[in-house]
Amino acid sequence: MSASPPRLRTAAVIPAAGKGVRLGPGAPKALRTLGGMPMLVHAVRAMAASRAVELVVVVAPPDGEAEVRRILDSHPLPEAAAAETDLLVVAGGNTRQESVRCGLRAVPEAIEAVLVHDAARPLVPVETVNAVVAAVRDGALAVVPALPLADTVKEVRPGAEDEPEPVVATPDRARLRAVQTPQGFDRATLVKAHRTVAVEGEGATDDAGMVERLGERVVVVRGHEEAFKVTRPLDLLLAEAVLARRRVTDGYV
Ligand code: CTP
Ligand code: MG
């Protein structure tokens, strides 16, 4: 029998500093409620549910640090998770890339592996979190949960709004994956990526892509349908439906 690989000291960074423009007017997206609880709290609980995660760093909107602390204080982690998981809040930046960088700065040196998880993916199951952690523990420098696409994808030459756009190519769908979070990293590799890759325009929307730009190998593990990102109003309806079903079938609170 082979010995199991050593447990890696693991932290999760949760970028939650976005505005949620595509969701429409209202509070910043991560602070909006789902089943009566802010989306951000669901995301924190999803990370703390993994026994591997010893620290969760929440990246709050630049002017929302105090509010996020208050929200987290009023929704404490379930007792078992609270005993094993520390929680930190830091202020974020103008792009997701900057926000992740702010979160990384707060991760202590002793941490060996880092998960980066969108607050906007509140319903990721713990099995997916654990699958990502396991792949990092087994030696991958960067791990992305992802799913095959349902739709065929066309590459176009973007034109003026409401004008038909010419199709440039149709990539083979069997080779494409839609990526999710938490993405998992060897900490030093992720820190190097964030030091090396400059923020351009809206910045990188995907940390693994930054590691690819370092020339390092990135691997995909199977994601989960319920790890979808709440982006548009319809996604909120779907998230509420998933929560309602969990409450009936698993007693999820
Ligand atoms: N995010 C962040 N800091 C930013 C922008 C985004 O921490 N400056 C976070 C969001 O809070 C979210 C995650 O990155 O948890 C994924 O981003 P996205 O789904 O695009 O969220 P928003 O940027 O809030 O939404 P939108 O783009 O519609 O404004
Ligand atoms: Mg955004």
Side-chain angles (χ1 to χ4, degrees):
M1 205 171 76
S2 65
S4 56
R7 202 175 149 198
L8 283 186
R9 295 195 61 181
T10 303
V13 171
I14 301 187
K19 295 192 168 67
V21 172
R22 287 169 290 178
L23 204 51
K29 180 161 71 180
L31 309 190
R32 299 208 205 178
T33 58
L34 205 59
M37 201 163 77
M39 218 180 290
L40 164 66
V41 177
H42 289 280
V44 169
R45 289 186 177 192
M47 295 302 105
S50 169
R51 298 211 49 200
V53 175
E54 64 177 86
L55 167 69
V56 176
V57 180
V58 175
V59 187
D63 55 355
E65 231 180 307
E67 188 179 3
V68 164
R69 276 210 188 87
R70 202 166 52 241
I71 287 172
L72 292 171
D73 286 345
S74 58
H75 297 88
L77 288 172
E79 220 170 284
E84 293 187 350
T85 319
D86 290 327
L87 211 50
L88 277 178
V89 179
V90 300
N94 289 327
T95 65
R96 184 185 182 283
Q97 186 177 340
E98 286 171 47
S99 293
V100 172
R101 190 175 298 179
C102 294
L104 272 179
R105 272 202 294 265
V107 173
E109 284 294 328
I111 296 290
E112 298 155 288
V114 175
L115 304 177
V116 181
H117 181 61
D118 293 328
R121 298 182 190 271
L123 300 180
V124 61
V126 70
E127 292 76 16
T128 307
V129 183
N130 287 337
V132 170
V133 172
V136 177
R137 195 188 52 213
D138 290 347
L141 294 180
V143 181
V144 185
L147 288 177
L149 298 179
D151 295 327
T152 295
V153 172
K154 300 278 183 201
E155 182 184 344
V156 299
R157 196 158 34 250
E161 210 177 324
D162 296 334
E163 283 291 311
E165 298 173 313
V167 170
V168 174
T170 305
D172 176 12
R173 192 175 70 190
R175 290 162 55 89
L176 299 178
R177 299 288 179 267
V179 310
Q180 304 179 323
T181 71
Q183 300 187 353
F185 303 91
D186 162 64
R187 177 240 175 89
T189 304
L190 183 61
V191 167
K192 185 173 174 201
H194 273 270
R195 283 212 185 108
T196 314
V197 179
V199 181
E200 286 163 15
E202 297 193 358
T205 55
D206 168 54
D207 298 278
M210 295 168 61
V211 172
E212 283 166 56
R213 284 166 66 173
L214 292 182
E216 297 291 357
R217 184 165 175 265
V218 175
V219 297
V220 161
V221 298
R222 192 165 179 86
H224 196 287
E225 277 188 338
E226 294 179 10
F228 65 92
K229 186 152 71 80
V230 175
T231 306
R232 299 182 184 84
L234 190 60
D235 301 320
L236 267 184
L237 283 183
L238 180 59
E240 292 285 1
V242 170
L243 263 187
R245 199 211 52 218
R246 282 188 191 177
R247 282 181 170 143
V248 171
T249 58
D250 332 333
Y252 180 91
V253 281

